[in-house]
Amino acid sequence: MPIRLLSPEVSSQIAAGEVVERPASVVKELTENALDAGAKNISISIADAGRTLIEVADDGHGIPADELSLAASRHATSKLVLSDDLFHIQTLGFRGEALASIGSVSHMTITSRVESAKEGARLSVDGGIAGKVETVGAPVGTVVRVENLFYNVPARLKFLKTDVTERRAIDSLITRYALAYPNVRFKVTDGKQLTLQTAGDGDRRAILAALYGVDVAKQMLEVMASEDPSTGSGQVGLALSGFISPVSLTRSNRREITFFINGRWVQEISLNSALLQAYHTLLMVGRYPLTALFLEMAPEDVDVNVHPTKAEVRFRSQDKIFSFVQRSVRKALLAYTPVPSVSPQLWGARSRDEVPHRQAGIDWSMAGDSSNEQQVTSTLPPSSDSSLVTRNSETLLSVPLLRLIGQIGSTYLVSEGPDGLYLIDQHAAHERVLFEKLMAQHENKSIPSQALLTPEVVTLPPQSAKMIGEQLPFLNKFGFEVEEFGTNTFQVRAMPMLFSGGDPASALRALVEDFEEDESPLQAEVEARLAARVCKRLAVKAGQTLTPDEQRSLLNDLEACQSPRTCPHGRPTMIHLSVDMLERQFGRRGAR
Ligand code: ADP
Ligand code: MG
């Protein structure tokens, strides 16, 4: 084929691919434009996970009628004039690409009015072809309506994930911007349903609660640090604010690590590693914190023009920023983190206050994220101590009959077997017991359930509610009776007998906690995982004093398990100190 210049439509579609990858990218660009326009109120409407409709309405300064066509053309921006301006960018946008890109792959309508105009103006762009600007009545501000995204790029459509995944990407984007701009009121509707609303009163913790639930929001630690440009070597003035999770509150992935630089959400590997270094040795392997951190610096100290979606940035003094973030986070963490020791009453205290109903004997607590159990773990000697501690989990599947000696630290059971001493982690052990019982009942298709005296109504953050909605069949199959009960709200009417007295809200949350989107497609495996999660959440916690009867029955139940030596998540339930090892340690036999 001869060389030809691409038609403008084709070249703009190619360029659009860089900026508009999925519905969430459209939401991002339009929201950033609204923020750049100084909006105080931003309303976002979504339908079909953004495939059929994304509309962002703001009360910002608007676009003059005679600039409307230009706004929708490529490389047209009001935010940048000279190439020099690129090095001290104060706005979120500057490339002048978003509206043109979006318009080339959708049916886009922009309606806008500036304060000085009596009427508004409207422009429609269909697959990159702009119509005429019409005069319409409109309030001051801008509404960009994007319909049938990618209708003319079927290949792109094919790459979209499920509605749930696309919708989740949108939600997580909006919630993050809501956090970053607590003085702006965000409102999100899906179809006719209101799914998120923030007050715009500057209260970040309240937004955190809307994002992660009240439980988590209460636990998050505030970070506040700044560095004067005059101190230290460089010119860089830095400020860091926001929230980090305490070491007891973690996730199994990095998805909840959020950084903003100068009001822009970035995915910056160096910042992530500074953060993780701050948590170093405080978290279990494979666990990650939740953060929403906002870094501010002079615009000239950060180059945001290295990536079309501006998600990556380059710093002028990378090392300085790295160490500032690492130090500030570490300091905040240490200020709040008690040195781990076996005094579990402390950890139990908070959750116990909140327990709405408790069974005599076993205290079902609803600590946010199984936090107790994690702190306890960190007090165990690392496994390099294997000369002292023999873990036979691989060699022996079952456990021998054990004689209970008692409970220590309200956390471990001490027992004796024919071959030595067994230390048992009561939480992990109970998790295992519940899990095996639940799965056995499930196999027999008979999970006895028990109606709650008063049905419990649980309201969840929108993202979680959406996911729970999808897990309802699972819940109902596993002996729960849960039904939707209004926006983001569920009513729990019955629970499996096995969990009687457990907290229904915890059970629901357990399902969406750490949900991995690409979890095994095998239904059976998914169910087992979900069941394991519920069991973990409702198992007896470290720090709960058990009566001798409860200790004994836990031990008996554990002995009866098929895999008593690990919890369903693979952590050991017990540590075995063999007779042989004891004798050697005490120099009774072949010393050393
Ligand atoms: P950029 O944001 O990089 O300048 P866009 O294509 O996103 O490029 O927008 C082009 C121009 O349209 C902006 O520079 C701005 O002047 C105008 N504009 C876009 N959206 C809005 C809005 N919501 N309110 C006011 N002006 C807007
Ligand atoms: Mg823009």
Side-chain angles (χ1 to χ4, degrees), residues 29-30 33-34 36-37 58 60-63 67 71-73 76-79 92-100 112 142 144 310:
E29 293 298 334
L30 298 183
N33 279 350
D36 278 345
D58 68 59
H61 58 55
I63 308 170
E67 290 178 20
S73 333
T77 178
S78 58
K79 303 171 190 175
L92 295 169
F94 57 84
R95 299 170 61 108
E97 278 178 340
L99 291 183
S112 192
T142 304
V144 180
K310 314 177 198 99

PDB file of all heavy atoms in Angstrom, residues 29-30 33-34 36-37 58 60-63 67 71-73 76-79 92-100 112 142 144 310, ligand 1:
ATOM      1  N   GLU A  29     -11.473  12.203  33.047  1.00  0.00           N
ATOM      2  CA  GLU A  29     -11.210  13.431  32.288  1.00  0.00           C
ATOM      3  C   GLU A  29     -12.283  14.480  32.548  1.00  0.00           C
ATOM      4  O   GLU A  29     -11.978  15.661  32.726  1.00  0.00           O
ATOM      5  CB  GLU A  29     -11.110  13.121  30.792  1.00  0.00           C
ATOM      6  CG  GLU A  29      -9.905  12.265  30.397  1.00  0.00           C
ATOM      7  CD  GLU A  29      -8.556  12.924  30.709  1.00  0.00           C
ATOM      8  OE1 GLU A  29      -8.496  14.170  30.764  1.00  0.00           O
ATOM      9  OE2 GLU A  29      -7.566  12.187  30.909  1.00  0.00           O
ATOM     10  N   LEU A  30     -13.542  14.038  32.556  1.00  0.00           N
ATOM     11  CA  LEU A  30     -14.620  15.014  32.732  1.00  0.00           C
ATOM     12  C   LEU A  30     -14.623  15.584  34.153  1.00  0.00           C
ATOM     13  O   LEU A  30     -14.882  16.767  34.361  1.00  0.00           O
ATOM     14  CB  LEU A  30     -15.979  14.377  32.404  1.00  0.00           C
ATOM     15  CG  LEU A  30     -16.135  13.883  30.960  1.00  0.00           C
ATOM     16  CD1 LEU A  30     -17.539  13.335  30.737  1.00  0.00           C
ATOM     17  CD2 LEU A  30     -15.830  14.985  29.950  1.00  0.00           C
ATOM     18  N   ASN A  33     -11.880  18.091  34.405  1.00  0.00           N
ATOM     19  CA  ASN A  33     -12.263  19.352  33.765  1.00  0.00           C
ATOM     20  C   ASN A  33     -13.165  20.170  34.683  1.00  0.00           C
ATOM     21  O   ASN A  33     -13.020  21.390  34.786  1.00  0.00           O
ATOM     22  CB  ASN A  33     -12.997  19.078  32.446  1.00  0.00           C
ATOM     23  CG  ASN A  33     -12.023  18.778  31.315  1.00  0.00           C
ATOM     24  OD1 ASN A  33     -10.820  18.958  31.466  1.00  0.00           O
ATOM     25  ND2 ASN A  33     -12.549  18.306  30.193  1.00  0.00           N
ATOM     26  N   ALA A  34     -14.096  19.477  35.342  1.00  0.00           N
ATOM     27  CA  ALA A  34     -15.011  20.180  36.250  1.00  0.00           C
ATOM     28  C   ALA A  34     -14.222  20.810  37.399  1.00  0.00           C
ATOM     29  O   ALA A  34     -14.462  21.960  37.776  1.00  0.00           O
ATOM     30  CB  ALA A  34     -16.065  19.212  36.778  1.00  0.00           C
ATOM     31  N   ASP A  36     -11.061  21.653  37.359  1.00  0.00           N
ATOM     32  CA  ASP A  36     -10.285  22.769  36.809  1.00  0.00           C
ATOM     33  C   ASP A  36     -11.155  24.009  36.635  1.00  0.00           C
ATOM     34  O   ASP A  36     -10.664  25.142  36.689  1.00  0.00           O
ATOM     35  CB  ASP A  36      -9.686  22.382  35.446  1.00  0.00           C
ATOM     36  CG  ASP A  36      -8.401  21.577  35.583  1.00  0.00           C
ATOM     37  OD1 ASP A  36      -7.819  21.570  36.695  1.00  0.00           O
ATOM     38  OD2 ASP A  36      -7.975  20.956  34.585  1.00  0.00           O
ATOM     39  N   ALA A  37     -12.446  23.787  36.375  1.00  0.00           N
ATOM     40  CA  ALA A  37     -13.349  24.921  36.157  1.00  0.00           C
ATOM     41  C   ALA A  37     -13.830  25.516  37.471  1.00  0.00           C
ATOM     42  O   ALA A  37     -14.694  26.385  37.490  1.00  0.00           O
ATOM     43  CB  ALA A  37     -14.539  24.493  35.298  1.00  0.00           C
ATOM     44  N   ASP A  58     -21.363  20.138  36.127  1.00  0.00           N
ATOM     45  CA  ASP A  58     -20.685  20.919  37.164  1.00  0.00           C
ATOM     46  C   ASP A  58     -21.211  22.342  37.197  1.00  0.00           C
ATOM     47  O   ASP A  58     -21.902  22.783  36.280  1.00  0.00           O
ATOM     48  CB  ASP A  58     -19.167  20.917  36.922  1.00  0.00           C
ATOM     49  CG  ASP A  58     -18.755  21.671  35.671  1.00  0.00           C
ATOM     50  OD1 ASP A  58     -19.047  22.877  35.556  1.00  0.00           O
ATOM     51  OD2 ASP A  58     -18.108  21.055  34.784  1.00  0.00           O
ATOM     52  N   GLY A  60     -19.091  24.921  37.483  1.00  0.00           N
ATOM     53  CA  GLY A  60     -17.860  25.690  37.298  1.00  0.00           C
ATOM     54  C   GLY A  60     -18.089  26.880  36.375  1.00  0.00           C
ATOM     55  O   GLY A  60     -19.239  27.235  36.075  1.00  0.00           O
ATOM     56  N   HIS A  61     -16.990  27.453  35.906  1.00  0.00           N
ATOM     57  CA  HIS A  61     -17.123  28.727  35.167  1.00  0.00           C
ATOM     58  C   HIS A  61     -17.687  28.606  33.756  1.00  0.00           C
ATOM     59  O   HIS A  61     -18.026  29.594  33.138  1.00  0.00           O
ATOM     60  CB  HIS A  61     -15.797  29.500  35.162  1.00  0.00           C
ATOM     61  CG  HIS A  61     -14.651  28.732  34.567  1.00  0.00           C
ATOM     62  ND1 HIS A  61     -14.684  28.193  33.314  1.00  0.00           N
ATOM     63  CD2 HIS A  61     -13.443  28.406  35.083  1.00  0.00           C
ATOM     64  CE1 HIS A  61     -13.536  27.589  33.063  1.00  0.00           C
ATOM     65  NE2 HIS A  61     -12.772  27.691  34.131  1.00  0.00           N
ATOM     66  N   GLY A  62     -17.804  27.390  33.256  1.00  0.00           N
ATOM     67  CA  GLY A  62     -18.436  27.228  31.952  1.00  0.00           C
ATOM     68  C   GLY A  62     -17.520  27.532  30.775  1.00  0.00           C
ATOM     69  O   GLY A  62     -16.379  27.978  30.948  1.00  0.00           O
ATOM     70  N   ILE A  63     -18.036  27.288  29.580  1.00  0.00           N
ATOM     71  CA  ILE A  63     -17.282  27.549  28.349  1.00  0.00           C
ATOM     72  C   ILE A  63     -18.088  28.550  27.528  1.00  0.00           C
ATOM     73  O   ILE A  63     -19.274  28.336  27.286  1.00  0.00           O
ATOM     74  CB  ILE A  63     -17.108  26.254  27.518  1.00  0.00           C
ATOM     75  CG1 ILE A  63     -16.524  25.136  28.393  1.00  0.00           C
ATOM     76  CG2 ILE A  63     -16.241  26.503  26.286  1.00  0.00           C
ATOM     77  CD1 ILE A  63     -16.542  23.766  27.720  1.00  0.00           C
ATOM     78  N   GLU A  67     -16.458  29.494  22.075  1.00  0.00           N
ATOM     79  CA  GLU A  67     -15.261  28.653  22.232  1.00  0.00           C
ATOM     80  C   GLU A  67     -15.617  27.180  22.280  1.00  0.00           C
ATOM     81  O   GLU A  67     -14.747  26.313  22.388  1.00  0.00           O
ATOM     82  CB  GLU A  67     -14.508  29.021  23.525  1.00  0.00           C
ATOM     83  CG  GLU A  67     -13.847  30.382  23.439  1.00  0.00           C
ATOM     84  CD  GLU A  67     -13.146  30.765  24.735  1.00  0.00           C
ATOM     85  OE1 GLU A  67     -12.849  29.865  25.559  1.00  0.00           O
ATOM     86  OE2 GLU A  67     -12.910  31.970  24.924  1.00  0.00           O
ATOM     87  N   ALA A  71     -13.224  23.945  22.076  1.00  0.00           N
ATOM     88  CA  ALA A  71     -12.991  23.100  23.251  1.00  0.00           C
ATOM     89  C   ALA A  71     -12.992  21.624  22.867  1.00  0.00           C
ATOM     90  O   ALA A  71     -12.262  20.822  23.445  1.00  0.00           O
ATOM     91  CB  ALA A  71     -14.050  23.358  24.314  1.00  0.00           C
ATOM     92  N   ALA A  72     -13.816  21.305  21.860  1.00  0.00           N
ATOM     93  CA  ALA A  72     -13.935  19.904  21.464  1.00  0.00           C
ATOM     94  C   ALA A  72     -12.913  19.508  20.410  1.00  0.00           C
ATOM     95  O   ALA A  72     -12.921  18.379  19.928  1.00  0.00           O
ATOM     96  CB  ALA A  72     -15.346  19.626  20.960  1.00  0.00           C
ATOM     97  N   SER A  73     -12.044  20.421  20.018  1.00  0.00           N
ATOM     98  CA  SER A  73     -11.028  20.064  19.022  1.00  0.00           C
ATOM     99  C   SER A  73      -9.731  19.661  19.706  1.00  0.00           C
ATOM    100  O   SER A  73      -9.450  20.066  20.824  1.00  0.00           O
ATOM    101  CB  SER A  73     -10.704  21.234  18.087  1.00  0.00           C
ATOM    102  OG  SER A  73     -11.780  22.102  17.983  1.00  0.00           O
ATOM    103  N   ALA A  76      -6.753  21.780  21.859  1.00  0.00           N
ATOM    104  CA  ALA A  76      -7.322  23.081  22.205  1.00  0.00           C
ATOM    105  C   ALA A  76      -7.501  23.115  23.708  1.00  0.00           C
ATOM    106  O   ALA A  76      -8.190  22.280  24.267  1.00  0.00           O
ATOM    107  CB  ALA A  76      -8.670  23.273  21.510  1.00  0.00           C
ATOM    108  N   THR A  77      -6.852  24.051  24.341  1.00  0.00           N
ATOM    109  CA  THR A  77      -6.936  24.149  25.794  1.00  0.00           C
ATOM    110  C   THR A  77      -6.869  25.604  26.219  1.00  0.00           C
ATOM    111  O   THR A  77      -6.275  26.442  25.524  1.00  0.00           O
ATOM    112  CB  THR A  77      -5.792  23.362  26.474  1.00  0.00           C
ATOM    113  OG1 THR A  77      -5.891  23.528  27.882  1.00  0.00           O
ATOM    114  CG2 THR A  77      -4.419  23.846  26.009  1.00  0.00           C
ATOM    115  N   SER A  78      -7.495  25.913  27.333  1.00  0.00           N
ATOM    116  CA  SER A  78      -7.395  27.261  27.882  1.00  0.00           C
ATOM    117  C   SER A  78      -6.384  27.293  29.014  1.00  0.00           C
ATOM    118  O   SER A  78      -6.248  28.276  29.713  1.00  0.00           O
ATOM    119  CB  SER A  78      -8.772  27.690  28.406  1.00  0.00           C
ATOM    120  OG  SER A  78      -9.215  26.764  29.376  1.00  0.00           O
ATOM    121  N   LYS A  79      -5.698  26.148  29.213  1.00  0.00           N
ATOM    122  CA  LYS A  79      -4.917  26.021  30.438  1.00  0.00           C
ATOM    123  C   LYS A  79      -3.416  26.196  30.239  1.00  0.00           C
ATOM    124  O   LYS A  79      -2.649  26.152  31.178  1.00  0.00           O
ATOM    125  CB  LYS A  79      -5.206  24.660  31.070  1.00  0.00           C
ATOM    126  CG  LYS A  79      -6.695  24.492  31.344  1.00  0.00           C
ATOM    127  CD  LYS A  79      -7.090  23.117  31.772  1.00  0.00           C
ATOM    128  CE  LYS A  79      -8.612  22.988  31.777  1.00  0.00           C
ATOM    129  NZ  LYS A  79      -9.075  21.635  32.071  1.00  0.00           N
ATOM    130  N   LEU A  92      -5.359  20.382  36.339  1.00  0.00           N
ATOM    131  CA  LEU A  92      -5.299  18.940  36.114  1.00  0.00           C
ATOM    132  C   LEU A  92      -5.134  18.640  34.629  1.00  0.00           C
ATOM    133  O   LEU A  92      -4.420  17.745  34.226  1.00  0.00           O
ATOM    134  CB  LEU A  92      -6.571  18.278  36.661  1.00  0.00           C
ATOM    135  CG  LEU A  92      -6.728  18.396  38.186  1.00  0.00           C
ATOM    136  CD1 LEU A  92      -8.114  17.963  38.619  1.00  0.00           C
ATOM    137  CD2 LEU A  92      -5.665  17.560  38.886  1.00  0.00           C
ATOM    138  N   GLY A  93      -5.835  19.417  33.803  1.00  0.00           N
ATOM    139  CA  GLY A  93      -5.709  19.235  32.361  1.00  0.00           C
ATOM    140  C   GLY A  93      -4.685  20.203  31.811  1.00  0.00           C
ATOM    141  O   GLY A  93      -4.291  21.147  32.480  1.00  0.00           O
ATOM    142  N   PHE A  94      -4.234  19.963  30.611  1.00  0.00           N
ATOM    143  CA  PHE A  94      -3.376  20.925  29.900  1.00  0.00           C
ATOM    144  C   PHE A  94      -3.104  20.449  28.494  1.00  0.00           C
ATOM    145  O   PHE A  94      -2.633  21.180  27.663  1.00  0.00           O
ATOM    146  CB  PHE A  94      -2.039  21.155  30.640  1.00  0.00           C
ATOM    147  CG  PHE A  94      -1.242  19.893  30.877  1.00  0.00           C
ATOM    148  CD1 PHE A  94      -0.405  19.393  29.885  1.00  0.00           C
ATOM    149  CD2 PHE A  94      -1.332  19.209  32.079  1.00  0.00           C
ATOM    150  CE1 PHE A  94       0.329  18.237  30.104  1.00  0.00           C
ATOM    151  CE2 PHE A  94      -0.605  18.057  32.290  1.00  0.00           C
ATOM    152  CZ  PHE A  94       0.226  17.557  31.305  1.00  0.00           C
ATOM    153  N   ARG A  95      -3.421  19.188  28.192  1.00  0.00           N
ATOM    154  CA  ARG A  95      -3.066  18.658  26.884  1.00  0.00           C
ATOM    155  C   ARG A  95      -4.118  18.957  25.834  1.00  0.00           C
ATOM    156  O   ARG A  95      -3.880  18.769  24.643  1.00  0.00           O
ATOM    157  CB  ARG A  95      -2.825  17.153  26.974  1.00  0.00           C
ATOM    158  CG  ARG A  95      -1.679  16.798  27.903  1.00  0.00           C
ATOM    159  CD  ARG A  95      -1.620  15.312  28.153  1.00  0.00           C
ATOM    160  NE  ARG A  95      -1.417  14.541  26.947  1.00  0.00           N
ATOM    161  CZ  ARG A  95      -0.289  13.911  26.628  1.00  0.00           C
ATOM    162  NH1 ARG A  95       0.743  13.971  27.443  1.00  0.00           N
ATOM    163  NH2 ARG A  95      -0.197  13.233  25.525  1.00  0.00           N
ATOM    164  N   GLY A  96      -5.277  19.378  26.261  1.00  0.00           N
ATOM    165  CA  GLY A  96      -6.316  19.717  25.299  1.00  0.00           C
ATOM    166  C   GLY A  96      -6.755  18.542  24.459  1.00  0.00           C
ATOM    167  O   GLY A  96      -7.086  18.684  23.274  1.00  0.00           O
ATOM    168  N   GLU A  97      -6.759  17.368  25.037  1.00  0.00           N
ATOM    169  CA  GLU A  97      -7.064  16.181  24.245  1.00  0.00           C
ATOM    170  C   GLU A  97      -8.355  15.490  24.640  1.00  0.00           C
ATOM    171  O   GLU A  97      -8.943  14.772  23.836  1.00  0.00           O
ATOM    172  CB  GLU A  97      -5.948  15.146  24.438  1.00  0.00           C
ATOM    173  CG  GLU A  97      -4.756  15.400  23.590  1.00  0.00           C
ATOM    174  CD  GLU A  97      -3.671  14.366  23.864  1.00  0.00           C
ATOM    175  OE1 GLU A  97      -3.702  13.736  24.936  1.00  0.00           O
ATOM    176  OE2 GLU A  97      -2.834  14.200  22.988  1.00  0.00           O
ATOM    177  N   ALA A  98      -8.756  15.695  25.894  1.00  0.00           N
ATOM    178  CA  ALA A  98      -9.817  14.839  26.422  1.00  0.00           C
ATOM    179  C   ALA A  98     -11.117  14.958  25.640  1.00  0.00           C
ATOM    180  O   ALA A  98     -11.636  13.965  25.129  1.00  0.00           O
ATOM    181  CB  ALA A  98     -10.034  15.149  27.892  1.00  0.00           C
ATOM    182  N   LEU A  99     -11.640  16.166  25.533  1.00  0.00           N
ATOM    183  CA  LEU A  99     -12.934  16.307  24.872  1.00  0.00           C
ATOM    184  C   LEU A  99     -12.867  15.822  23.429  1.00  0.00           C
ATOM    185  O   LEU A  99     -13.777  15.143  22.954  1.00  0.00           O
ATOM    186  CB  LEU A  99     -13.414  17.759  24.948  1.00  0.00           C
ATOM    187  CG  LEU A  99     -13.811  18.231  26.361  1.00  0.00           C
ATOM    188  CD1 LEU A  99     -14.339  19.671  26.313  1.00  0.00           C
ATOM    189  CD2 LEU A  99     -14.864  17.312  26.978  1.00  0.00           C
ATOM    190  N   ALA A 100     -11.789  16.148  22.732  1.00  0.00           N
ATOM    191  CA  ALA A 100     -11.658  15.695  21.351  1.00  0.00           C
ATOM    192  C   ALA A 100     -11.633  14.170  21.284  1.00  0.00           C
ATOM    193  O   ALA A 100     -12.284  13.555  20.436  1.00  0.00           O
ATOM    194  CB  ALA A 100     -10.392  16.271  20.727  1.00  0.00           C
ATOM    195  N   SER A 112     -23.150  24.246  27.943  1.00  0.00           N
ATOM    196  CA  SER A 112     -22.407  25.054  28.890  1.00  0.00           C
ATOM    197  C   SER A 112     -22.888  26.497  28.872  1.00  0.00           C
ATOM    198  O   SER A 112     -23.445  26.980  27.875  1.00  0.00           O
ATOM    199  CB  SER A 112     -20.909  24.985  28.548  1.00  0.00           C
ATOM    200  OG  SER A 112     -20.152  25.524  29.597  1.00  0.00           O
ATOM    201  N   THR A 142     -21.238  23.465  33.267  1.00  0.00           N
ATOM    202  CA  THR A 142     -21.067  22.631  32.088  1.00  0.00           C
ATOM    203  C   THR A 142     -21.639  21.231  32.332  1.00  0.00           C
ATOM    204  O   THR A 142     -21.483  20.689  33.424  1.00  0.00           O
ATOM    205  CB  THR A 142     -19.561  22.506  31.756  1.00  0.00           C
ATOM    206  OG1 THR A 142     -19.027  23.817  31.607  1.00  0.00           O
ATOM    207  CG2 THR A 142     -19.331  21.722  30.479  1.00  0.00           C
ATOM    208  N   VAL A 144     -21.398  17.600  30.380  1.00  0.00           N
ATOM    209  CA  VAL A 144     -20.910  16.812  29.246  1.00  0.00           C
ATOM    210  C   VAL A 144     -21.579  15.449  29.326  1.00  0.00           C
ATOM    211  O   VAL A 144     -21.488  14.757  30.340  1.00  0.00           O
ATOM    212  CB  VAL A 144     -19.376  16.672  29.260  1.00  0.00           C
ATOM    213  CG1 VAL A 144     -18.913  15.849  28.056  1.00  0.00           C
ATOM    214  CG2 VAL A 144     -18.717  18.044  29.252  1.00  0.00           C
ATOM    215  N   LYS A 310      -1.451  10.979  32.484  1.00  0.00           N
ATOM    216  CA  LYS A 310      -0.784  11.717  33.567  1.00  0.00           C
ATOM    217  C   LYS A 310      -0.759  10.929  34.871  1.00  0.00           C
ATOM    218  O   LYS A 310      -0.710  11.488  35.952  1.00  0.00           O
ATOM    219  CB  LYS A 310      -1.460  13.072  33.802  1.00  0.00           C
ATOM    220  CG  LYS A 310      -1.743  13.830  32.510  1.00  0.00           C
ATOM    221  CD  LYS A 310      -2.477  15.117  32.799  1.00  0.00           C
ATOM    222  CE  LYS A 310      -3.166  15.691  31.580  1.00  0.00           C
ATOM    223  NZ  LYS A 310      -4.618  15.352  31.564  1.00  0.00           N
TER     224      LYS A 310
HETATM  225  P1  ADP B   1      -7.657  20.216  28.810  1.00  0.00           P
HETATM  226  O1  ADP B   1      -8.438  19.927  30.053  1.00  0.00           O
HETATM  227  O2  ADP B   1      -6.394  19.452  28.759  1.00  0.00           O
HETATM  228  O3  ADP B   1      -7.467  21.657  28.580  1.00  0.00           O
HETATM  229  P2  ADP B   1      -9.958  19.157  27.462  1.00  0.00           P
HETATM  230  O4  ADP B   1     -10.131  18.568  26.115  1.00  0.00           O
HETATM  231  O5  ADP B   1     -10.289  18.315  28.617  1.00  0.00           O
HETATM  232  O6  ADP B   1      -8.477  19.666  27.575  1.00  0.00           O
HETATM  233  O7  ADP B   1     -10.814  20.474  27.526  1.00  0.00           O
HETATM  234  C1  ADP B   1     -10.590  21.494  26.562  1.00  0.00           C
HETATM  235  C2  ADP B   1     -10.987  22.853  27.120  1.00  0.00           C
HETATM  236  O8  ADP B   1     -12.380  22.906  27.290  1.00  0.00           O
HETATM  237  C3  ADP B   1     -10.407  23.160  28.480  1.00  0.00           C
HETATM  238  O9  ADP B   1      -9.134  23.724  28.385  1.00  0.00           O
HETATM  239  C4  ADP B   1     -11.430  24.136  29.049  1.00  0.00           C
HETATM  240  O10 ADP B   1     -11.175  25.429  28.634  1.00  0.00           O
HETATM  241  C5  ADP B   1     -12.727  23.697  28.406  1.00  0.00           C
HETATM  242  N1  ADP B   1     -13.515  22.844  29.301  1.00  0.00           N
HETATM  243  C6  ADP B   1     -13.639  21.498  29.262  1.00  0.00           C
HETATM  244  N2  ADP B   1     -14.466  21.054  30.214  1.00  0.00           N
HETATM  245  C7  ADP B   1     -14.867  22.131  30.915  1.00  0.00           C
HETATM  246  C8  ADP B   1     -15.731  22.335  32.040  1.00  0.00           C
HETATM  247  N3  ADP B   1     -16.334  21.301  32.651  1.00  0.00           N
HETATM  248  N4  ADP B   1     -15.932  23.596  32.460  1.00  0.00           N
HETATM  249  C9  ADP B   1     -15.319  24.629  31.859  1.00  0.00           C
HETATM  250  N5  ADP B   1     -14.492  24.502  30.815  1.00  0.00           N
HETATM  251  C10 ADP B   1     -14.261  23.277  30.326  1.00  0.00           C
END
